[in-house]
């Protein structure tokens, strides 16, 4: 078999020994022209297969009834596409190219729905799908128009989206305002209802107040008199208890003051005695320390020396005066100390 090949299809390009039943696909380029003379190059891809019963010899024989079935169905489809595009303007075809081509090839049923297959009865070839791989203008004028159309379509789409977004924002704003107004009306209604209830309660309270004022005042006066009498009795009891408590407290305070004064005197006398004992001990210790520091020989020399020498020795030792006695004749240090203090004064 000699079949058409290449893209666009050229007759007698393929020489085959076996005919494949499919499903397969073929690609072709179709030059079309719109009603406003825009020439376009369409690259289309077709899915096809042979719908036959392999056990039926008559149907098998139909496979070879069309020698170049590829070129035949490509020409048939191209013819339908050209006829459909020729009646459409460029802008309309550019927007709805897929639907226009599929409808031109497959046709439509009574309801206007596009069919899904194209049947060649001569050899039972079925076209199941058409894929539009590209749409390119042939001349520069058409290419410029296509670019302009694309830009216009993008601009229209953008403006449409902006308008839709603006409309949606306005709609939401209106809905929010409506909800706010409705909530405001509901709040005012609730406030009016609460105000009505308040007025009813005030009226009822005023009625109760006007009818029960006299009895309430009488009861209040009786209760006040009773409370006043009880209060006077209670005050008298409290005053008596206060006087008794005051006398007891004063007596206790006096006893505590006397006891405190006695304790203070005892403590003072004890401290004075202790102070005198400690002073005597301090003087005795001091004198003993001085004597031990001077030594027996030094004391002997001092007793034998004259007055001037004794004064120098005493000043050298840090002593103003001293007294020497033996252990057989003790001296009253208290009276001696008092005499020394008096003599120094």
């Amino acid at each position: 078999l000699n079949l058409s090949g290449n893209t666009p299809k050229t007759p007698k390009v393929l020489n085959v020994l076996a005919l494949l039943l499919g499903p397969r696909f073929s690609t072709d380029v179709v030059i079309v022209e719109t009603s406003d003379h825009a020439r376009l190059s369409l690259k289309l891809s077709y899915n096809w297969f042979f719908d036959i019963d392999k056990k039926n010899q008559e149907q098998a024989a139909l496979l070879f009834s069309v020698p170049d079935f590829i070129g035949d169905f490509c020409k048939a489809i191209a013819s339908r596409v050209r006829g459909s595009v020729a009646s459409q303007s460029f802008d309309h075809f550019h927007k709805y190219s897929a639907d226009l081509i599929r409808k031109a090839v497959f046709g439509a049923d009574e309801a206007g729905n596009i069919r899904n297959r194209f049947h060649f009865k001569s050899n039972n070839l079925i076209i199941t799908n058409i894929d539009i791989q590209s749409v390119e203008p042939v001349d520069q004028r058409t290419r410029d128009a296509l670019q302009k159309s694309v830009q216009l379509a993008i601009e229209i789409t953008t403006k449409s989206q902006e308008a839709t977004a603006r409309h949606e924002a306005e709609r939401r704003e209106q809905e929010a305002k409506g909800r706010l107004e409705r909530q405001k009306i509901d709040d005012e209604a609730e406030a009016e209802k609460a105000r009505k209830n308040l007025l009813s309660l005030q009226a009822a309270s005023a009625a109760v107040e006007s009818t029960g004022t006299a009895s309430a005042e009488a009861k209040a006066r009786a209760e006040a008199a009773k409370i006043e009498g009880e209060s006077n009795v209670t005050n008298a009891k409290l005053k008596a208890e206060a006087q008794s408590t005051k006398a007891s407290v004063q007596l206790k305070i006096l006893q505590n003051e006397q006891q405190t004064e006695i304790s203070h005197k005892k403590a003072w006398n004890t401290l004075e005695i202790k102070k005198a004992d400690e002073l005597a001990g301090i003087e005795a210790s001091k004198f003993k320390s001085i004597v031990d520091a001077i030594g027996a020989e030094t004391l002997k020399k001092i007793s034998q020396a004259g007055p001037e020498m004794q004064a120098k020795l005493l000043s050298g030792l840090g002593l103003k005066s001293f007294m020497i006695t033996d252990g057989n004749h003790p001296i009253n240090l208290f009276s001696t100390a008092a005499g020394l203090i008096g003599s120094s004064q």
Side-chain angles (χ1 to χ4, degrees), residues 74-113:
C74 286
K75 289 177 182 179
I77 292 175
S79 176
R80 291 194 174 200
V81 171
R82 290 192 190 97
S84 176
V85 175
S87 62
Q88 307 294 331
S89 65
F90 173 75
D91 290 337
H92 188 268
F93 174 73
H94 184 261
K95 292 179 181 178
Y96 307 104
S97 57
D99 292 338
L100 291 173
I101 292 174
R102 290 177 62 84
K103 188 174 182 180
V105 175
F106 296 134
D109 55 16
E110 293 77 4
N113 298 320

Side-chain angles (χ1 to χ4, degrees), residues 19-26 45-53 59 62-63 65-66 69-70 72-74 76-77 80 102 105-106 115-131:
L19 181 61
L20 300 177
L21 301 181
R24 303 280 291 174
F25 73 93
S26 298
S45 179
Y46 316 118
N47 294 88
W48 56 266
F49 71 97
F50 287 101
D51 186 16
I52 63 170
D53 184 3
Q59 292 184 3
L62 292 177
L63 293 174
S65 61
V66 180
F69 72 92
I70 294 178
D72 183 65
F73 80 73
C74 286
I77 292 175
R80 291 194 174 200
R102 290 177 62 84
V105 175
F106 296 134
R115 295 188 178 94
N116 58 4
R117 59 172 51 197
F118 180 24
H119 184 203
F120 291 88
K121 296 181 180 180
S122 58
N123 58 353
N124 288 332
L125 177 67
I126 305 296
I127 307 298
T128 58
N129 186 37
I130 297 178
D131 180 24

Side-chain angles (χ1 to χ4, degrees), residues 52-61:
I52 63 170
D53 184 3
K54 297 180 181 180
K55 297 180 180 180
N56 192 328
Q57 293 296 327
E58 294 181 359
Q59 292 184 3

Side-chain angles (χ1 to χ4, degrees), residues 33 200 262 336:
E33 186 173 353
S200 299
I262 294 171
T336 303

Side-chain angles (χ1 to χ4, degrees), residues 71 85 87 135 137 169 225-226 249:
V85 175
S87 62
V135 178
K226 180 181 178 182
V249 169

